[in-house]
Amino acid sequence: MRNRKEALAELKKTCSLAVNIFTNTVSPHSVYLDREQKGGTVVLEMKALVLTNRIVDYLHVRVVEKTMELMKYNLNLYVELEEKYPFSAWK
């Protein structure tokens, strides 16, 4: 993107959640899932509670809380982009 700073400044005026995923590395942010950097997603990181591979560990209350937080963020992001799209091409 040639004018990244200007585009992010314009986007921040109407879609702060969208800007956050492109500029933040702490709270929900965008990451690539593959080495080719083609498949990405929005993630919310947290420290591992225990070092194990048991499925029951993923049902820990902190994991469920973080999952719900990320789900709310994604839903709010969708609504924000649907209602306040900053660029006409996004409509």
Side-chain angles (χ1 to χ4, degrees):
M1 180 183 294
R2 292 180 302 221
N3 58 347
R4 184 177 193 272
K5 287 184 181 180
E6 290 130 17
L8 286 174
E10 184 66 29
L11 188 59
K12 189 172 188 174
K13 292 177 189 175
T14 54
C15 300
S16 59
L17 294 176
V19 169
N20 184 61
I21 63 173
F22 297 121
T23 59
N24 203 342
T25 57
V26 178
S27 63
H29 60 280
S30 179
V31 298
Y32 288 109
L33 296 176
D34 56 358
R35 291 182 186 195
E36 294 80 27
Q37 296 187 345
K38 293 181 181 177
T41 190
V42 176
V43 299
L44 180 60
E45 297 181 47
M46 64 182 284
K47 289 187 177 188
L49 303 168
V50 290
L51 297 176
T52 183
N53 289 325
R54 297 179 335 159
I55 190 70
V56 72
D57 294 327
Y58 295 99
L59 298 176
H60 188 281
V61 66
R62 284 285 292 140
V63 175
V64 172
E65 287 172 356
K66 287 290 187 181
T67 302
M68 294 302 294
E69 184 181 331
L70 182 60
M71 203 162 92
K72 284 180 189 176
Y73 185 90
N74 280 316
L75 291 171
N76 289 336
L77 176 63
Y78 178 81
V79 169
E80 179 180 87
L81 292 175
E82 178 74 20
E83 294 178 351
K84 305 175 187 177
Y85 57 92
F87 307 110
S88 57
W90 285 18
K91 189 173 182 179

